[in-house]
Amino acid sequence: MKPLFLIFITHILFLGHLNAQQATIKLVNQERNSSYRGLSVVDDTTVWVSGSNGTVGLSTDAGKNWQWVNPIGYEKTDFRDIEAFDENEALIISAGSPAIILSTHDGGRSWKEVFIDKRPEIFYDGFAFTPKGVGIAFGDAIQGKMPLLKSIDFGRSWKDISANMHFTITEGEAGFAASGTSIYCDNKGTYWIATGGTAANIYSSKDQGDTWQRYSCPIIQGKNSTGPFSVAFYSSKTGIVVGGDYKEDKNKEKNSLLTNDGGKTWFAPETAPAGFKSAVIYLSKKQLISTGTSGTDLSNDGGKNWTSIGKESFNAVQKPKKGRAIFLVGDKGKIANLAL
């Protein structure tokens, strides 16, 4: 007869295995030949996507039908990140030069340019917003300085706060615009930015971008294809980074790290996700989803152990702040939902 605690542990392990087996990723749309990296799930029915070829999509029925609301005149622009507040109001930010932020207040029927930077070397990686409309965007360093923008009005206007970042960025250190999730903020306005390449670091601000701290991140690094591609926090202390080397996407060496002190120190999971991952989210304190070109993985123990639930390539995964829907987007116009 098994001791009670062994029965309990066996039951927990069985539940984790059951969830992984029950997980289904269902393609809901693939009508556009675009690579999607921007994904914003507002609630269980409202989903926005953005990507290459100036493509922006909106669904108000949980992904069954899509309206393509591409901004006119931006047909060659790659919109790597999108932040939506409801079915009418959304922001998109471009990768590369010129750096552009567009805003819509009518469900994408019209778009307004609210920011532009025409410097040839400018490259923004993404932005993140609090529920009260405070947002920060960050980009790759220019002459050792990280470009930073801040909005306090849901992205209607932007202020350059680059001078608030006093750290010199290492040559070859940069962010990754792979999923719009290399920057993360919580509801209180604490921000985390993950950089990789020649050096991997976490930049954190507890005061909405006024002051910053820098912490070393011991994930795989050293090449322009390596580092943390996504950062997420369940609380001000509990967080995760995932990434790896996108040029060797089956390699899972040092591709995921966990923190219990807000990003100051990091430790490796017991079982790493399978290969390169470009996005990670918390579904609960214990349950997480990560995805990338190597497939999609599930953790039922706070990121300590991971199980593959799908081999197909995706770039981003998101869920609403209030709701249960989980969506994924990838190349070749792939939009999918995940049921657990």
Side-chain angles (χ1 to χ4, degrees):
M1 182 176 178
K2 289 183 180 178
L4 185 61
F5 76 94
L6 282 179
I7 294 173
F8 176 73
I9 291 172
T10 303
H11 179 64
I12 292 297
L13 289 174
F14 174 73
L15 284 178
H17 178 72
L18 184 67
N19 283 343
Q21 292 298 316
Q22 287 180 332
T24 56
I25 299 172
K26 180 184 177 182
L27 203 64
V28 296
N29 189 277
Q30 199 174 4
E31 62 188 276
R32 294 271 170 155
N33 187 25
S34 295
S35 176
Y36 299 128
R37 296 184 182 275
L39 173 61
S40 187
V41 184
V42 177
D43 53 39
D44 283 344
T45 58
T46 306
V47 186
W48 292 75
V49 301
S50 68
S52 62
N53 305 318
T55 306
V56 182
L58 165 64
S59 174
T60 56
D61 58 5
K64 296 181 182 70
N65 297 283
W66 290 85
Q67 307 166 49
W68 303 107
V69 292
N70 304 1
I72 297 171
Y74 299 89
E75 289 77 13
K76 295 183 179 180
T77 304
D78 192 354
F79 293 111
R80 295 282 185 93
D81 198 5
I82 185 166
E83 182 81 20
F85 305 106
D86 54 38
E87 65 183 56
N88 293 309
E89 192 169 358
L91 297 160
I92 47 178
I93 187 168
S94 66
S97 180
I100 300 162
I101 300 176
L102 302 180
S103 171
T104 183
H105 300 280
D106 56 11
R109 288 187 292 274
S110 64
W111 294 89
K112 179 183 178 183
E113 196 173 275
V114 292
F115 174 80
I116 186 167
D117 186 333
K118 295 182 179 180
R119 285 180 290 176
E121 62 270 47
I122 196 68
F123 191 105
Y124 274 90
D125 296 290
F127 48 21
F129 278 79
T130 71
K132 294 184 178 179
V134 178
I136 290 179
F138 88 102
D140 292 347
I142 299 175
Q143 296 180 341
K145 296 297 180 182
M146 180 186 292
L148 288 171
L149 299 173
K150 182 177 179 179
S151 173
I152 57 173
D153 55 8
F154 293 91
R156 295 179 181 89
S157 62
W158 293 86
K159 178 183 178 182
D160 190 325
I161 61 163
S162 305
N164 294 353
M165 178 68 76
H166 297 298
F167 297 102
T168 300
I169 310 302
T170 303
E171 182 74 23
E173 176 187 350
F176 292 106
S179 64
T181 58
S182 53
I183 180 171
Y184 183 89
C185 74
D186 64 16
N187 292 344
K188 297 178 181 178
T190 298
Y191 287 80
W192 292 269
I193 293 171
T195 60
T198 55
N201 287 297
I202 303 297
Y203 298 84
S204 179
S205 173
K206 295 181 179 179
D207 51 16
Q208 300 183 348
D210 290 344
T211 60
W212 295 85
Q213 299 296 319
R214 178 166 68 182
Y215 309 118
S216 177
C217 182
I219 200 168
I220 187 171
Q221 57 195 278
K223 299 188 293 185
N224 63 7
S225 56
T226 59
F229 282 67
S230 181
V231 58
F233 277 78
Y234 179 77
S235 68
S236 61
K237 300 294 186 181
T238 303
I240 184 171
V241 291
V242 299
D245 186 342
Y246 73 82
K247 291 183 179 179
E248 298 179 18
D249 70 350
K250 303 306 179 187
N251 181 10
K252 60 181 184 179
E253 178 190 0
K254 293 184 179 179
N255 69 343
S256 177
L257 295 171
L258 302 165
T259 181
N260 288 326
D261 56 13
K264 295 177 183 177
T265 61
W266 297 86
F267 60 94
E270 295 170 17
T271 305
F276 167 75
K277 302 299 178 191
S278 54
V280 64
I281 58 170
Y282 280 90
L283 302 180
S284 65
K285 186 176 183 179
K286 292 296 185 182
Q287 198 165 53
L288 298 88
I289 297 288
S290 66
T291 197
T293 56
S294 64
T296 302
D297 288 37
L298 167 71
S299 173
N300 283 317
D301 59 3
K304 294 177 183 177
N305 293 280
W306 293 86
T307 302
S308 174
I309 57 173
K311 301 294 186 183
E312 191 167 5
S313 166
F314 288 98
N315 295 324
V317 58
Q318 282 289 351
K319 68 175 286 290
K321 290 182 173 66
K322 294 181 180 179
R324 298 174 60 87
I326 306 167
F327 281 84
L328 304 100
V329 294
D331 61 354
K332 300 177 183 177
K334 289 185 295 190
I335 305 172
N337 63 21
L338 168 61
L340 289 174

